[in-house]
């Protein structure tokens, strides 16, 4: 997968050099490219923002730099690149006014060959930028939650990490993704229950004996029960979705 990130703060993405994503980039599984939006400005101050039409507080990101940046970045991919010949990227625009980012959406995005992220700042990006981009590529406005960050960079880090860990070869144990909270299948609409490792007793706290029993069926049933308890306590509305799904998740042990 190729991922392009357009931002006025490229250094914000230093964490993408680390850990699983850093290893995946080194292995060629991920081709992540950072682009400074100011590279597409032409004035001496590298201006990327201006006052909003209609008045109001703050500044809005100007359309011209974004238009030129997306033309340059999201145009025809180079021959032999990760995106493949003739590929068209999906433009992802993090914004509080977007549609919710979920594990299911992460899975769908992980199946795309090429994603371009537009990281807004200030009061956001001139709305014509997404409208113009939509003439030549799919555009998704994505919200990572009902709160407001100072810009799209943190949201892009969240989305890139969530999507990247689902790519084949990124997680050491592909099974981990299957057991994640919210993962499609047995964990859909369920939160992951408690996890334990050695020692079996720590500060007079014991690991639940079933986990030491070697009875895999009993362990699976215990884990499902604990997932249901955690979900009922922390996210009861998810149980309603589980019930509406015909209780399919309750009797699954896969
Ligand atoms: O909360 B967010 O996901 C978010 C995304 C983009 C911008 C741009 C300016 N503030 C933002 C907030």
């Amino acid at each position: 997968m190729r991922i392009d990130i357009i931002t006025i703060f490229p250094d914000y993405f230093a964490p993408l050099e680390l850990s699983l994503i850093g290893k995946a980039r080194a292995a060629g599984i991920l081709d992540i490219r950072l682009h400074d939006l100011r590279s597409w400005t032409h004035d001496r101050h590298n201006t990327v923002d201006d006052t909003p039409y209609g008045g109001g507080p703050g500044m809005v990101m100007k359309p011209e730099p974004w238009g030129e940046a997306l033309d340059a970045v999201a145009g025809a991919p180079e021959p032999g690149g990760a995106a493949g010949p003739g590929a068209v990227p999906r433009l992802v625009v993090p914004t509080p006014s977007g549609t919710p980012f979920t594990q299911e959406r992460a899975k769908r995005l992980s199946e795309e060959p090429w994603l371009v992220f537009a990281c807004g700042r200030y009061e956001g990006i001139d709305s014509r930028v997404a409208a113009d981009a939509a003439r030549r590529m799919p555009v998704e406005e994505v919200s990572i939650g009902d709160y407001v960050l100072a810009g799209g960079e943190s949201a892009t880090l969240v989305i890139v990490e969530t999507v990247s860990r689902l790519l084949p070869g990124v997680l050491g144990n592909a099974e981990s993704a299957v057991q994640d909270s919210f993962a499609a299948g047995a964990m859909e609409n369920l939160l992951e229950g408690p996890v334990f490792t050695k020692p079996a007793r720590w500060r007079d706290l014991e690991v639940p004996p079933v986990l030491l029993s070697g009875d895999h069926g009993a362990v699976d049933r215990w884990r499902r029960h604990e997932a249901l308890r955690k979900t009922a306590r922390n996210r009861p509305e998810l149980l309603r979705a589980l019930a509406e799904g015909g209780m399919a998740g309750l009797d699954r042990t896969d």
Side-chain angles (χ1 to χ4, degrees):
M1 174 186 280
R2 175 177 165 178
I3 295 177
D4 288 90
I5 301 172
I6 306 170
T7 171
I8 59 173
F9 296 121
D11 293 347
Y12 211 99
F13 295 95
L16 296 181
E17 299 286 344
L18 306 173
S19 188
L20 290 176
I21 293 181
K23 291 186 174 74
R25 294 175 77 176
I29 297 169
L30 268 174
D31 172 10
I32 299 181
R33 308 176 190 192
L34 301 177
H35 308 275
D36 187 338
L37 178 68
R38 295 189 196 275
S39 304
W40 288 278
T41 61
H42 308 291
D43 63 302
R44 61 199 291 263
H45 297 295
N46 300 115
T47 307
V48 293
D49 63 312
D50 205 334
T51 53
Y53 274 124
M59 304 290 274
V60 173
M61 299 192 93
K62 295 167 57 64
E64 299 98 325
W66 279 106
E68 290 185 33
L70 288 169
D71 288 348
V73 171
E78 75 281 4
V88 172
R90 182 168 292 266
L91 178 63
V92 178
V93 185
T95 170
S97 59
T99 47
F101 182 62
T102 63
Q103 190 65 24
E104 181 181 4
R105 191 169 190 177
K107 181 73 174 98
R108 177 170 59 76
L109 290 174
S110 73
E111 292 157 0
E112 292 288 333
W114 184 10
L115 301 177
V116 175
F117 287 84
C119 299
R121 278 273 152 175
Y122 311 105
E123 298 305 312
I125 302 171
D126 185 300
S127 296
R128 292 169 291 181
V129 171
D132 174 61
R135 293 167 172 167
R136 58 188 187 281
M137 70 190 88
V139 179
E140 295 194 27
E141 294 189 322
V142 180
S143 165
I144 63 165
D146 293 340
Y147 43 80
V148 182
L149 301 163
E153 284 80 7
S154 300
T156 296
L157 278 171
V158 166
I159 297 168
V160 167
E161 179 164 328
T162 309
V163 168
S164 298
R165 67 186 291 277
L166 297 176
L167 296 176
V170 174
L171 280 184
N173 176 355
E175 183 61 21
S176 301
V178 173
Q179 293 173 354
D180 284 344
S181 295
F182 308 107
M187 288 301 288
E188 199 159 357
N189 290 319
L190 281 181
L191 303 182
E192 195 166 358
V195 292
F196 303 88
T197 188
K198 302 180 187 63
R201 178 184 175 84
W202 176 72
R203 293 186 179 182
D204 82 358
L205 297 171
E206 304 279 352
V207 169
V210 66
L211 299 180
L212 310 177
S213 68
D215 180 341
H216 298 300
V219 170
D220 286 346
R221 288 189 296 275
W222 181 87
R223 283 176 170 162
R224 174 166 307 286
H225 182 254
E226 290 301 312
L228 283 166
R229 285 183 62 214
K230 175 69 80 72
T231 308
R233 183 167 65 245
N234 291 351
R235 295 288 302 277
E237 78 280 6
L238 293 178
L239 286 184
R240 200 172 307 118
L242 188 68
E244 285 159 8
M247 308 295 273
L250 284 179
D251 53 13
R252 274 196 188 144
T253 57
D254 56 344

